[in-house]
Amino acid sequence: DHHVNYGSGSGLQDRVAFVQNDPGQHDASIRLADLQVSDTGTYQCRVKKNTVAVHEVIVTVQGEPPRP
């Protein structure tokens, strides 16, 4: 549907974007920016073209990387 559903109160609106400008061109990959420990959880990707495909991914954020 060319949009991301962030869920309620997730705080992801400014940190999630499609990798490609037009996900209808066979790549609906997303990028999560500035990950935080609170982002740990199960994320669901639902792609609807001719049929609906659903895939769940578990993301675990363990902590901030050391600063260079």
Side-chain angles (χ1 to χ4, degrees), residues 1-2 23-26 47-53:
D1 294 336
H2 295 153
Q25 298 298 315
H26 310 293
V47 177
K48 183 171 73 172
K49 192 93 171 173
N50 298 330
T51 61
V52 176

Side-chain angles (χ1 to χ4, degrees), residues 33-67:
D34 300 322
L35 286 172
Q36 303 166 10
V37 173
S38 60
D39 293 328
T40 294
T42 301
Y43 291 79
Q44 185 181 80
C45 177
R46 187 180 77 128
V47 177
K48 183 171 73 172
K49 192 93 171 173
N50 298 330
T51 61
V52 176
V54 177
H55 185 76
E56 289 188 354
V57 176
I58 298 171
V59 174
T60 303
V61 182
Q62 296 182 340
E64 291 186 28
R67 298 188 188 263

